[in-house]
Amino acid sequence: MHRRWTWGPAALLAGVLTAAAAPTPAILLPFRALTPGTHASGQAQVRTTPTGLTVTVLALDGLTPGQAYTAHYHAQGADLAADPCQARGEVTLTFPRGRAGAAGRLTLQVTAPASRLAGTKGASIDVHADSAPATPLLCAAVRKPATTPPAAAAAALVRLSDNRFEPATLRIRVGTTIVWQQEDTALHNVISAELPTLRSSDLRRGDTYRHTFTQAGTFTYYCSYHAGMTGTVIVTD
């Protein structure tokens, strides 16, 4: 399934990177290695303060002892549907550099107005050695992924008019929804003896009734108020 990436206050980690008057709970973002064979790891903690500042703390491990490192927030690249760690755009915020300790651990922190990272401007965080700025070791995707929603089911229309179903016979595919639209002054309904789930309440002018057909077959239906008012649905795979 194709993946897309969503934006806005609901998608950007519940608004962590949007300006806010109230503080938000800290959000933890795991880093993933971008360089084969690296033992580096870590996580980013992002929160906002009551004054609308974003505080980001990086807890890193597995680095080379004594090596200097820095980190950056990146905007999203040109491909808005891509993984932010694979489609990094311009640098929007830089962390102060730091040097890994004897155990290979390092903590970096930056504080900035939340507006600096709003929208697409705070899509990802990467970490790299000062000696290799073009080769990031770690990346944390800030945007929240979402799957592409399924396409809406196809729909077909049957009108109830002059004591008739129009069209009286309809051929559709499995998964199609039929909408019966009541345009008559008389009271009608839609009932099928062959398909118990196809049964509407009484329909007055302006009312509609929907049913989605999930299995193949030929199904007849009728209006119980008017003899001879019948219809047929032919459902194919």
Side-chain angles (χ1 to χ4, degrees):
M1 179 178 291
H2 176 67
R3 289 165 65 87
R4 66 184 173 86
W5 299 79
T6 55
W7 303 96
L12 280 171
L13 304 172
V16 168
L17 300 185
T18 58
T24 62
I27 300 298
L28 299 180
L29 305 170
F31 278 101
R32 68 177 189 261
L34 297 182
T35 303
T38 183
H39 299 293
S41 62
Q43 66 179 15
Q45 182 187 85
V46 185
R47 63 182 176 85
T48 57
T49 69
T51 57
L53 296 175
T54 295
V55 180
T56 307
V57 180
L58 311 184
L60 308 172
D61 199 2
L63 303 176
T64 301
Q67 173 72 57
Y69 294 87
T70 191
H72 303 282
Y73 267 102
H74 285 264
Q76 177 70 10
D79 186 355
L80 298 182
D83 178 345
C85 287
Q86 301 299 326
R88 292 187 302 279
E90 64 179 345
V91 171
T92 54
L93 186 62
T94 300
F95 289 72
R97 66 191 294 270
R99 196 172 296 275
R105 297 190 180 95
L106 175 63
T107 299
L108 299 176
Q109 178 174 323
V110 70
T111 300
S115 59
R116 285 280 302 275
L117 303 171
T120 64
K121 293 184 289 186
S124 64
I125 304 169
D126 69 13
V127 177
H128 62 79
D130 271 8
S131 59
T135 308
L137 297 174
L138 300 169
C139 182
V142 177
R143 289 183 297 143
K144 187 164 69 173
T147 55
T148 302
L157 179 67
V158 174
R159 291 182 170 86
L160 285 67
S161 179
D162 294 328
N163 292 347
R164 296 195 303 266
F165 293 111
E166 300 177 353
T169 301
L170 197 59
R171 184 181 295 271
I172 62 173
R173 301 293 297 271
V174 169
T176 300
T177 298
I178 293 182
V179 179
W180 283 266
Q181 183 170 296
Q182 224 289 44
E183 300 177 353
D184 216 342
T185 54
L187 192 67
H188 295 303
N189 55 24
V190 178
I191 298 174
S192 174
E194 302 158 348
L195 194 61
T197 55
L198 180 59
R199 189 180 187 90
S200 76
S201 58
D202 288 346
L203 302 175
R204 292 171 173 78
R205 188 168 189 169
D207 291 343
T208 59
Y209 169 66
R210 292 172 166 267
H211 182 83
T212 300
F213 290 80
T214 59
Q215 64 187 77
T218 299
F219 307 98
T220 59
Y221 61 92
Y222 60 94
C223 171
S224 65
Y225 292 109
H226 299 94
M229 187 175 176
T230 62
T232 302
V233 180
I234 303 170
V235 186
T236 59
D237 290 325

